[in-house]
Amino acid sequence: MIPVCHLTDLPAGESVRIDTAPPIAVFNADGEIYAIDDTCTHQDASLADGWLEGCLVECPLHAASFDLRTGMPTCLPARRAVRTHPVTVEDGMIYVHHAAEEGTAA
Amino acid sequence: MRTVTVVGASLAGLYAARALRSQGFQGRLVIVGDEHHRPYDRPPLSKDFLKGETGQEQLALADAEEIAELDAEWVLGTRAAGLDDEGRTVRLAGGRALATDGVVIATGATPRRLPGPELSGVHTLRTLDDAQALRADLAGGPGRVVVIGGGFIGAEVASSCAALGHDVTVVEAAPLPLLPQLGEEMAGVCAALHGDHGVALVTGTGVAALRGEPGGRVTGVELADGRLLPADTVVVGIGVRPNTDWLAGSGIAVADGVVCDAGCVTALPHVVAVGDVARAGGSRTEHWTSATEQAAVAVHNLLAGATLMAHRAVPYFWSDQYGVRIQFAGRRLPTDTVRIVEGSPEDRSFLAAYERDGRTTAVLALNRPRPFMKQRRELMRAAQPVAS
């Protein structure tokens, strides 16, 4: 279980990257908190830097788009899913539960 | 339309093939490529691939599942030699002729070379084979590398070579690299990245000749101002020439690219052009993103038999060098003024806006992907035609 930040520090529409190996991106999508692998499956770019719209995040480099709920790519050029990680909020603190290496969401 | 032939099996050709299937074309799809490889991504060739941090497998643009789904006939390792019969026959090197109803021209471009005899140790970088040859050459231990041309390819190769421990010099004929693209102030900031990382930048002088025994290995680069730069390896990155020679006699107009309208359609409605080879709506772009965007537009018009859609995207390109991500979007004119919106050039992390008459025309970011993306979106929104 990895502490991320206080819920109040991650307002709706914002994202934060945590330096796990590999790094994880945590998003507040209109009040719902999601965590996915930070690195786009298409090419080296940080999804925490991406464009968040609803439950979709668009990669800042090539506009690949991923569904935060499933990790599935919704359009090219990405074809492989990113892993999703369970998130809990306890006493106003966001925690990410690192999914096992082999546990892909897809 | 029963048969469509896509000539060119790189990014633009693959995206055209994808667009044909996703837009409902169920006929015979033939993809011709002069390289032996299935479509792969070129941007990493000058970066992670050159540094040995990425392998060939990771470059593939389409996996086996998608290749099967596309249901195409792949004619690889074969150059197109001509387009005959008003665009109804694609002639291949070796003499085979493919009868076709529609043609997508996606033949890309070839790096310009310096005149003079062939010398080993002199490279251009465009294809996977080029990158493998350069990588092998650089693996012999630290040496002196001279990169001719300070554009993005040159700068990325210089960055990768420096990371590999080589002694690198970049030679740029203009007063600064990327001057036409970025303007003096921002080109100056990007040029400073070389010095930050111990790479010498020589500007304002062209190359007179490469030194070396004919048939032997390069030993140095002689500059137009008389200086001699000793070199073990030379990389030439001085731009490209669109691959249009095969269209001679086809009736397709060629002028630094295949001349087509803003919808990527040539004078023949069943022949379209996409990617680096296309001069669409009066301009030719060599950007990854425009190649992918043009494919969808061109195929739409090809299947419709007329130009129903135009490609009017905001140009976008990026470069990774020395751990700095450079991103640019928009259309900048030399008279535009530039303003730092956030961050600072000294920190090599900032967002700059180019402005004209109070409007933002383009944005440049170094290591600021998030605000850049927001600005790029706003440029894209502003470029949308107003709905009536």
Side-chain angles (χ1 to χ4, degrees):
Chain A
M1 193 160 86
I2 306 155
V4 180
C5 64
H6 280 282
L7 193 52
T8 49
D9 293 331
L10 191 71
E14 288 298 315
S15 55
V16 64
R17 173 173 48 244
I18 49 177
D19 287 326
T20 43
I24 291 174
V26 185
F27 299 85
N28 182 337
D30 302 326
E32 289 291 322
I33 311 293
Y34 298 97
I36 60 172
D37 275 353
D38 182 52
T39 307
C40 179
T41 58
H42 170 241
Q43 244 178 51
D44 187 18
S46 164
L47 293 174
D49 290 328
W51 182 261
L52 186 59
E53 207 157 277
C55 276
L56 301 181
V57 61
E58 187 184 304
C59 171
L61 200 54
H62 290 139
S65 175
F66 297 90
D67 190 320
L68 296 177
R69 295 164 296 189
T70 60
M72 293 296 284
T74 61
C75 69
L76 293 168
R79 288 180 56 82
R80 280 176 293 125
V82 288
R83 293 184 307 162
T84 60
H85 305 276
V87 176
T88 54
V89 179
E90 289 164 36
D91 298 332
M93 189 75 184
I94 301 169
Y95 294 92
V96 166
H97 304 259
H98 206 159
E101 270 301 319
E102 65 274 21
T104 62
Chain B
M1 206 167 267
R2 283 175 306 180
T3 300
V4 174
T5 304
V6 177
V7 187
S10 190
L11 182 71
L14 174 67
Y15 270 68
R18 284 173 174 169
L20 280 160
R21 290 308 189 206
S22 68
Q23 293 182 28
F25 174 69
Q26 294 180 341
R28 179 177 175 229
L29 172 58
V30 184
I31 303 173
V32 177
D34 61 344
E35 293 179 60
H36 289 276
H37 311 289
R38 283 266 163 78
Y40 60 88
D41 216 13
R42 297 190 197 278
L45 294 179
S46 52
K47 312 179 190 87
D48 287 353
F49 184 83
L50 200 55
K51 287 188 277 183
E53 294 167 5
T54 287
Q56 188 176 337
E57 324 70 57
Q58 280 115 297
L59 299 178
L61 282 169
D63 55 24
E65 186 191 348
E66 187 187 10
I67 297 289
E69 282 167 15
L70 278 176
D71 189 23
E73 291 170 39
W74 295 82
V75 184
L76 297 178
T78 306
R79 193 174 288 275
L83 185 63
D84 302 334
D85 307 329
E86 296 275 298
R88 302 288 183 189
T89 302
V90 175
R91 191 160 28 86
L92 303 179
R96 191 176 158 200
L98 301 168
T100 193
D101 304 305
V103 175
V104 179
I105 298 172
T107 41
T110 301
R112 291 179 191 279
R113 291 169 185 278
L114 291 170
E118 286 257 320
L119 295 171
S120 65
V122 179
H123 299 262
T124 53
L125 180 51
R126 173 85 184 176
T127 65
L128 178 57
D129 295 354
D130 291 343
Q132 277 167 334
L134 178 56
R135 197 158 97 164
D137 221 351
L138 294 170
R144 292 161 303 183
V145 178
V146 174
V147 178
I148 300 171
F152 281 145
I153 281 284
E156 289 174 359
V157 168
S159 161
S160 297
C161 289
L164 290 169
H166 297 278
D167 176 10
V168 186
T169 302
V170 177
V171 179
E172 167 63 44
L176 274 174
L178 301 172
L179 201 48
Q181 291 87 353
L182 304 183
E184 188 174 350
E185 202 178 336
M186 293 299 118
V189 176
C190 290
L193 294 174
H194 294 294
D196 290 352
H197 296 84
V199 169
L201 174 65
V202 178
T203 60
T205 179
V207 168
L210 297 177
R211 288 279 185 88
E213 291 299 317
R217 193 173 174 91
V218 70
T219 57
V221 176
E222 190 187 327
L223 301 181
D225 64 11
R227 274 180 288 177
L228 179 69
L229 303 174
D232 305 303
T233 302
V234 171
V235 184
V236 181
I238 53 172
V240 297
R241 209 171 62 85
N243 290 328
T244 54
D245 289 352
W246 69 285
L247 293 167
S250 68
I252 298 285
V254 166
D256 182 39
V258 174
V259 176
C260 48
D261 64 20
C264 302
V265 180
T266 68
L268 298 173
H270 58 281
V271 179
V272 298
V274 293
D276 290 4
V277 76
R279 171 165 292 277
S283 64
R284 195 172 68 77
T285 47
E286 297 170 5
H287 306 323
W288 193 98
T289 304
S290 63
T292 63
E293 293 166 344
Q294 283 175 346
V297 172
V299 163
H300 183 89
N301 295 332
L302 175 69
L303 294 177
T307 302
L308 302 184
M309 266 174 87
H311 176 244
R312 290 193 217 288
V314 173
Y316 163 59
F317 57 85
W318 81 96
S319 174
D320 292 323
Q321 24 183 299
Y322 306 108
V324 176
R325 174 154 293 165
I326 301 171
Q327 292 173 290
F328 182 96
R331 290 191 170 84
R332 174 195 159 269
L333 288 182
T335 49
D336 294 354
T337 55
V338 65
R339 180 171 65 88
I340 303 296
V341 178
E342 62 168 77
S344 98
E346 289 72 35
D347 297 339
R348 314 298 187 224
S349 171
F350 66 93
L351 179 78
Y354 295 89
E355 293 167 334
R356 188 189 320 154
D357 306 328
R359 279 185 314 110
T360 300
T361 55
V363 285
L364 168 73
L366 267 65
N367 275 345
R368 294 262 164 163
R370 217 149 170 232
F372 173 83
M373 191 167 208
K374 193 156 173 268
Q375 292 289 325
R376 183 183 162 208
R377 290 241 162 196
E378 278 172 22
L379 284 175
M380 285 158 73
R381 205 164 14 236
Q384 291 297 319
V386 179
S388 55

